[in-house]
């Protein structure tokens, strides 16, 4: 039982459920941020910052694949990047299984803007293999960025406020 280790497992909307100021040494999030609407990601990351003790650590594992690949082997990990935002949100992006389509550079920027010091990160990628990519993604990201399917990042709260 994790309680014997001095740990707590908390599920819920952390912006509403958790008291402020809470003082945690470590926060982890595994395959969650990709399901948060893009506009809300900074709020979540900033909340993590405010919940950590100075020098506390946060760990995010972010699965940036098209999650429909788990059910449809005929599509690629990058399939959802072929659609405009309008088409994606209108026809494919379910409110029950939201996928925000942010890329790893977006997440790293949000983490830095929250005043975290990025300690380490690693990337997993899958080849694009000719997957059609919508021009809105092509304008913003290079092929290397588009190919990344998973980001694992560890960051530390800076020692001050």
């Amino acid at each position: 039982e994790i309680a014997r280790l001095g740990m707590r497992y908390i599920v819920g909307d952390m912006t509403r459920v958790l008291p402020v100021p809470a003082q945690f040494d470590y926060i982890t999030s595994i395959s969650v941020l990709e399901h948060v609407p893009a506009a809300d990601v900074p709020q979540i990351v900033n909340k993590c910052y405010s919940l950590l003790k100075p020098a506390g650590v946060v760990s995010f594992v972010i699965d940036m694949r098209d999650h429909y690949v788990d059910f449809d082997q005929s599509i690629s990990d990058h399939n959802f990047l072929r659609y405009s935002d309008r088409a994606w949100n209108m026809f494919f992006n379910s409110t029950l299984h939201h996928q925000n389509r942010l890329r790893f550079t977006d997440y790293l920027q949000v983490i830095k803007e929250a005043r975290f010091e990025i300690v380490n990160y690693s990337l997993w990628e899958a080849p694009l293999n000719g997957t059609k990519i919508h021009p809105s993604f092509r304008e913003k990201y290079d092929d290397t960025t588009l190919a990344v399917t998973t980001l694992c990042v560890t960051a530390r709260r800076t020692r001050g406020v």
Side-chain angles (χ1 to χ4, degrees):
E1 182 172 303
I2 65 172
R4 287 187 291 164
L5 300 173
M7 298 169 62
R8 293 188 325 187
Y9 181 76
I10 302 169
V11 177
D13 181 342
M14 69 185 300
T15 62
R16 294 187 189 128
V17 175
L18 296 174
V20 176
Q23 297 295 306
F24 294 95
D25 296 305
Y26 178 70
I27 296 172
T28 187
S29 167
I30 300 172
S31 296
V32 172
L33 286 182
E34 69 269 20
H35 297 291
V36 174
D40 297 338
V41 171
Q43 180 183 10
I44 299 295
V45 174
N46 281 309
K47 182 67 171 190
C48 289
Y49 188 91
S50 73
L51 292 171
L52 285 169
K53 292 178 183 178
V57 174
V58 66
S59 172
F60 297 113
V61 177
I62 306 165
D63 181 355
M64 297 175 292
R65 300 171 307 129
D66 182 334
H67 288 15
Y68 292 121
V69 76
D70 294 331
F71 308 100
D72 183 351
Q73 301 299 314
S74 72
I75 64 172
S76 77
D77 291 334
H78 311 290
N79 183 69
F80 65 170
L81 300 177
R82 69 178 35 221
Y83 304 103
S84 68
D85 286 342
R86 184 171 187 243
W88 173 248
N89 289 319
M90 185 178 292
F91 299 113
F92 304 106
N93 201 14
S94 165
T95 56
L96 298 175
H97 188 65
H98 179 83
Q99 296 176 72
N100 63 36
R101 303 191 304 165
L102 293 172
R103 308 321 303 149
F104 86 91
T105 52
D106 302 318
Y107 288 109
L108 292 178
Q109 184 64 35
V110 167
I111 292 165
K112 289 175 187 174
E113 287 175 359
R115 301 182 317 265
F116 278 105
E117 170 196 353
I118 295 176
V119 176
N120 189 1
Y121 71 91
S122 55
L123 306 171
W124 282 262
E125 60 184 63
L128 294 174
N129 285 344
T131 300
K132 182 180 176 186
I133 304 293
H134 191 270
S136 62
F137 288 99
R138 287 267 179 224
E139 292 168 2
K140 192 171 178 183
Y141 307 104
D142 61 22
D143 280 357
T144 302
T145 301
L146 291 169
V148 173
T149 57
T150 305
L151 167 65
C152 297
V153 59
T154 303
R156 182 180 8 245
R157 179 180 166 153
T158 53
R159 291 198 181 266
V161 179

